[in-house]
Amino acid sequence: MDQTKPIIALDFNHKKQIRDFLALFADEKLNIKIGMEAFYANGPNIVHELIQGQHDIFLDLKLHDIPNTVKKAMKVLAQLGVAMVNVHAQGGLKMMEAAKAGLEEGCKGRGDRPKLIAVTQLTSLSEEDFSRDQVSTLSLEDSINHFARLAKEAGLDGVVCSPLESSRIHKELGPDFLTVTPGIRLKTDQGDDQSRITTPSQARTYQSDYIVVGRPITQAKDPRLAYEQMYQAWNKQKGER
């Protein structure tokens, strides 16, 4: 999965919407996030179709269950040929270890396994939401770093977090431990249900490895232009495209 390209979150529930959107990028190999909405509505077939279109897929299902169930599910997902999958770190160390084991079993004889990352805390959570809903004595940032350390201990490749936590995670867990960061908005974008947000250039400064962008691209009047603007802002320190 090309780190210079934003990951586009295709949160559509109809194949036609997905196909119509991708028709705007007929000449592009994209990084695409398929989340619960698209996957539950269309099943594995939508993943196969996008892979046949030469796109790299981050399958964002946030598995969170007992270790045995997650292991078996990951063994199945390993056979889809996606580039990246995830679990929710709140499932605990044993669950994350089981997820990795299932992924590796499912990939035997199929080449490299997908990157496996863990969601720490949702980027829609504010400090106030976190304190009220999770009744934690930790700060939101300390909770995120705790789950990142747990994911590293379990042998995962990285975490989903906001860009605001990325530099601290890299400082503690190393530059090769991936940070995949949603909550990306241009300065001109209107607010929505995301709380911990940054611009693409700020995410670069915070050392994010990947940025995930949904509605600012998919709901833009000109999605292709919005994507180009995100791309340029994300890569401004790397030179022109």
Side-chain angles (χ1 to χ4, degrees):
M1 187 171 274
D2 187 344
Q3 287 182 253
T4 69
K5 296 182 178 182
I7 301 173
I8 305 175
L10 291 189
D11 295 323
F12 302 125
N13 57 27
H14 294 293
K15 279 186 180 180
K16 185 179 186 305
Q17 292 174 294
I18 294 173
R19 289 168 179 164
D20 287 349
F21 178 84
L22 291 177
L24 302 172
F25 298 86
D27 58 338
E28 289 271 1
K29 178 181 178 181
L30 300 173
N31 292 338
I32 293 173
K33 181 175 82 70
I34 292 295
M36 289 181 275
E37 181 180 3
F39 191 81
Y40 293 159
N42 300 287
N45 286 340
I46 192 60
V47 174
H48 294 310
E49 181 175 325
L50 296 178
I51 290 175
Q52 287 174 0
Q54 302 300 307
H55 302 298
D56 287 328
I57 309 302
F58 167 25
L59 186 58
D60 176 28
L61 300 182
K62 301 180 181 70
L63 299 189
H64 185 177
D65 211 312
I66 63 173
N68 186 56
T69 297
V70 170
K71 180 179 180 179
K72 290 180 177 179
M74 277 297 178
K75 191 172 180 179
V76 174
L77 296 183
Q79 300 170 39
L80 294 179
V82 300
M84 187 181 294
V85 292
N86 66 357
V87 297
H88 208 302
Q90 292 183 36
L93 178 64
K94 290 181 180 179
M95 188 207 75
M96 288 190 281
E97 290 174 336
K100 183 181 178 185
L103 204 56
E104 289 176 342
E105 286 183 22
C107 286
K108 285 181 180 177
R110 302 180 63 91
D112 295 338
R113 68 164 174 81
K115 297 293 185 184
L116 176 58
I117 61 177
V119 175
T120 52
Q121 294 284 354
L122 301 177
T123 49
S124 59
L125 281 176
S126 66
E127 189 78 46
E128 181 182 359
D129 294 333
F130 170 74
S131 178
R132 181 192 64 236
D133 296 345
Q134 300 192 23
V135 199
S136 176
T137 58
L138 297 176
S139 68
L140 178 57
E141 184 178 23
D142 286 341
S143 175
I144 290 165
N145 282 290
H146 164 70
F147 284 125
R149 288 191 295 270
L150 210 60
K152 175 83 170 183
E153 184 179 348
L156 272 60
D157 300 296
V159 291
V160 179
C161 62
S162 88
L164 301 172
E165 296 95 34
S166 188
S167 58
R168 180 173 169 181
I169 287 171
H170 279 308
K171 183 177 180 180
E172 182 173 344
L173 301 177
D176 295 330
F177 191 68
L178 299 174
T179 55
V180 180
T181 59
I184 305 298
R185 300 289 184 269
L186 295 174
K187 290 182 179 179
T188 55
D189 290 331
Q190 295 182 349
D192 48 38
D193 60 349
Q194 295 281 27
S195 292
R196 304 193 320 280
I197 62 175
T198 72
T199 65
S201 59
Q202 287 171 329
R204 172 70 65 197
T205 300
Y206 289 132
Q207 301 175 31
S208 295
D209 293 300
Y210 293 94
I211 56 171
V212 180
V213 188
R215 287 164 287 185
I217 293 175
T218 60
Q219 295 184 15
K221 290 182 179 180
D222 185 340
R224 181 72 187 237
L225 176 61
Y227 175 78
E228 293 292 341
Q229 290 173 333
M230 286 287 181
Y231 182 97
Q232 295 295 344
W234 173 235
N235 289 282
K236 71 174 187 177
Q237 296 177 4
K238 292 186 172 183
E240 295 299 320
R241 195 173 187 180

